[in-house]
Amino acid sequence: MDALTEGYVTEDGRRIGGVLMEMKNITLRFGGVVAIKDISFDIREGEIRAIIGPNGAGKSSMLNVISGFYHPQEGEVWYKGGVRPSMKPFEVARQGVGRTFQNIALFEGMTVLDNVMTGRLTHMKASIWEQAIWWGKAEREEVHNREQVEKIIDFLEIQSIRKTPVGRLPYGLKKRVELARALAAEPSLLLLDEPMAGMNVEEKEDMSRFILDVNDEFGTTIALIEHDMGVVMDLSDRVVVMDYGKKIGDGTPDEVRSNQDVIDAYLGVAHD
Ligand SMILES: Nc1ncnc2c1ncn2[C@@H]1O[C@H](COP(=O)(O)OP(=O)(O)O)[C@@H](O)[C@H]1O
Ligand SMILES: [Mg+2]
């Protein structure tokens, strides 16, 4: 599959494009701890790509490299056909990489609507001065931002809680609000760190459906970390398997499931 440059068509008929992001020989150390050891893989346009592996394998670290939170000591990150220079997370976000966090990071005292609005910050071009002096531009921008946010709120079916402070919501809905905020930025690549962790079966089903719908409706490329193997196998087009910072498998869910290294390291044992 890696030899394909033009993309491929999935079993369910979705068209996957060329390489959007490529990690080349990434190594990341924290002092003496090697969180990522010489890992390479790519993410294709339109794909749902999963990263799996036991706790401490380096999965979150990998998403943090992609989102610019961590800077690897070795290797290159390629994005949209070129090497990405070392960047701050907000600059990476501006280039169209959105994310949610393993531990929810929302403003608990603010309403759902205001939280989702913060997702538009990367798109706000009018400065404070322009907002004061050149009222028209700032207002047009504000109207457009509101429209985008309302579209996402409708799409994720959270209209009924738009005025509710996030702190009052149950966990599953908070996760959905975090997804809404990430989507409000209209990312080309969306990174989801354990979007279904701690959810009950029904919440997981809802979240799975929303992830598929986002991919389908907005064409968003998605890279996600998930522990529930059923969910991973159902959702993802291709899977990277990590163990102790190394990549031990990479392929379709079927390929990964039958990979002996993966079975030994991960699938055969409890992992939480
Ligand atoms: N900011 C950090 N400082 C020091 N060590 C870290 C940091 N982040 C992660 N690590 C270490 O890197 C390894 C991989 O962690 P992580 O990427 O969180 O794994 P996973 O998400 O697969 O559970 C672990 O040994 C962890 O303790
Ligand atoms: Mg993690």
Side-chain angles (χ1 to χ4, degrees), residues 24-64:
K24 293 191 183 183
N25 305 101
I26 300 292
T27 293
L28 176 74
R29 297 183 206 94
F30 297 106
V33 177
V34 187
I36 302 174
K37 281 183 201 152
D38 193 24
I39 290 193
S40 302
F41 67 93
D42 64 24
I43 303 170
R44 289 169 176 281
E45 207 131 352
E47 203 169 37
I48 301 181
R49 190 73 151 120
I51 302 176
I52 67 171
N55 271 339
K59 306 178 299 294
S60 291
S61 298
M62 184 58 86
L63 282 201
N64 280 318

Side-chain angles (χ1 to χ4, degrees), residues 155-175:
F155 189 78
L156 293 182
E157 297 168 13
I158 47 178
Q159 307 92 327
S160 61
I161 53 163
R162 49 208 291 293
K163 297 283 183 192
T164 309
V166 159
R168 290 211 212 124
L169 297 176
Y171 181 79
L173 274 179
K174 284 186 186 173
K175 288 286 230 191

Side-chain angles (χ1 to χ4, degrees), residues 68-79:
F69 271 66
Y70 293 159
H71 299 277
Q73 281 81 12
E74 287 162 46
E76 287 176 344
V77 178
W78 284 60
Y79 183 57

